[in-house]
Amino acid sequence: MHRRVVSLAVLAAIALPAAVGAAQGPPPESLGARQVRTVGEDPADWTPHILDGEVHALAVVGETVVVGGDFTKVADSALEQEYDREHLFAFDLRTGEVLDFAPDIDGMVLSLAAGPDGTVFAGGPFEEVDDQDVRGIARLDLATGGLVEGFDASINWGDVRGLAVSGGWLYLGGSFSAVNGVRRLGLARLDTQTGEVDPWFDARLDAPEIGRVKVEDIAVSPDGDRLLAVGAFTRAAARAGCRRPCST
């Protein structure tokens, strides 16, 4: 008997139409974009150390590097000073100094993306941040380490594994099936300021042969016209969007 083999690793390129009422965001250079330079032969010797666990994500926001993963302690470059940092910490890009940024997050961080106005987006399977119910996605202030007021978003279950910011929108991919109660299988687009789900964007991912959609990572082209998604799914819309607000 012959069996149909379905690949679990699928790469989809999705066209991104201009959304009605799209939020205006800061230019890419204000979201941590930096000039690419050739890596030298000698690595920097001033970067901090992870003392346990592992790193899953990095993001550069201005002169700050944010690090996310599954760890509880970090140390300075000389291994002289230890810091309690669960799942998330930040250090100065030029000096390597471990910063005071230390949100109280109850689960690992799998993805990070630079946000507007000195903030960073964090994604993962966590359910609480600073003793507040914040599931899967959070926007954090780098100066205070606290949640940014006004941004309200939460997945229904699963995790957020991929994040990308473009043109005032936050794209998130993972294993969820709804965001803020709006049905979105594994991929959604939110307003970076409010966390509101874009009703005009739905990639309509599906995986009837597999039984579960999971997006492992995403990236948006520099011009904001294309989104690349990789993960466990077998169907996707050629163009993400609807002539009218997508069904929820």
Side-chain angles (χ1 to χ4, degrees):
M1 180 175 68
H2 297 284
R3 293 180 178 270
R4 181 183 179 187
V5 178
V6 180
S7 173
L8 295 182
V10 179
L11 177 66
I14 302 169
L16 298 175
V20 175
Q24 297 299 313
E29 57 268 21
S30 68
L31 298 181
R34 305 187 60 82
Q35 182 179 359
V36 177
R37 291 177 289 182
T38 303
V39 177
E41 295 181 1
D42 298 322
D45 58 3
W46 42 258
T47 53
H49 300 275
I50 300 292
L51 300 182
D52 59 355
E54 57 188 0
V55 171
H56 293 296
L58 294 169
V60 178
V61 187
E63 298 298 326
T64 299
V65 180
V66 185
V67 183
D70 187 15
F71 50 80
T72 64
K73 290 185 179 295
V74 303
D76 61 7
S77 59
L79 293 173
E80 295 177 348
Q81 178 69 48
E82 293 187 8
Y83 303 86
D84 292 327
R85 296 289 188 273
E86 293 194 12
H87 313 299
L88 200 60
F89 83 102
F91 66 91
D92 187 281
L93 178 64
R94 298 189 181 278
T95 67
E97 177 188 0
V98 176
L99 303 177
D100 292 335
F101 177 77
D104 182 9
I105 187 167
D106 74 340
M108 75 176 73
V109 173
L110 298 176
S111 53
L112 292 166
D117 306 320
T119 66
V120 66
F121 293 103
F126 53 82
E127 299 182 16
E128 289 187 358
V129 178
D130 295 339
D131 294 324
Q132 296 187 45
D133 293 333
V134 179
R135 186 157 194 165
I137 179 68
R139 183 184 175 196
L140 300 163
D141 189 319
L142 289 179
T144 66
L147 292 165
V148 175
E149 186 176 351
F151 183 86
D152 185 13
S154 187
I155 61 175
N156 60 334
W157 62 276
D159 56 38
V160 173
R161 294 170 176 259
L163 291 171
V165 174
S166 178
W169 295 111
L170 171 66
Y171 296 85
L172 56 154
S175 60
F176 51 85
S177 60
V179 183
N180 297 345
V182 180
R183 179 176 171 81
R184 292 290 185 271
L185 292 180
L187 188 63
R189 181 162 75 177
L190 313 183
D191 186 298
T192 57
Q193 299 292 341
T194 67
E196 182 180 358
V197 177
D198 180 10
W200 299 89
F201 175 90
D202 187 357
R204 300 190 293 282
L205 301 183
D206 200 4
E209 303 90 343
I210 300 172
R212 180 182 178 187
V213 169
K214 180 188 291 185
V215 174
E216 295 289 348
D217 204 359
I218 57 176
V220 180
S221 62
D223 58 12
D225 289 339
R226 295 277 174 177
L227 181 144
L228 296 176
V230 62
F233 54 89
T234 58
R235 300 178 187 176
R239 177 175 290 274
C242 308
R243 294 181 180 178
R244 58 184 181 277
C246 304
S247 172
T248 59

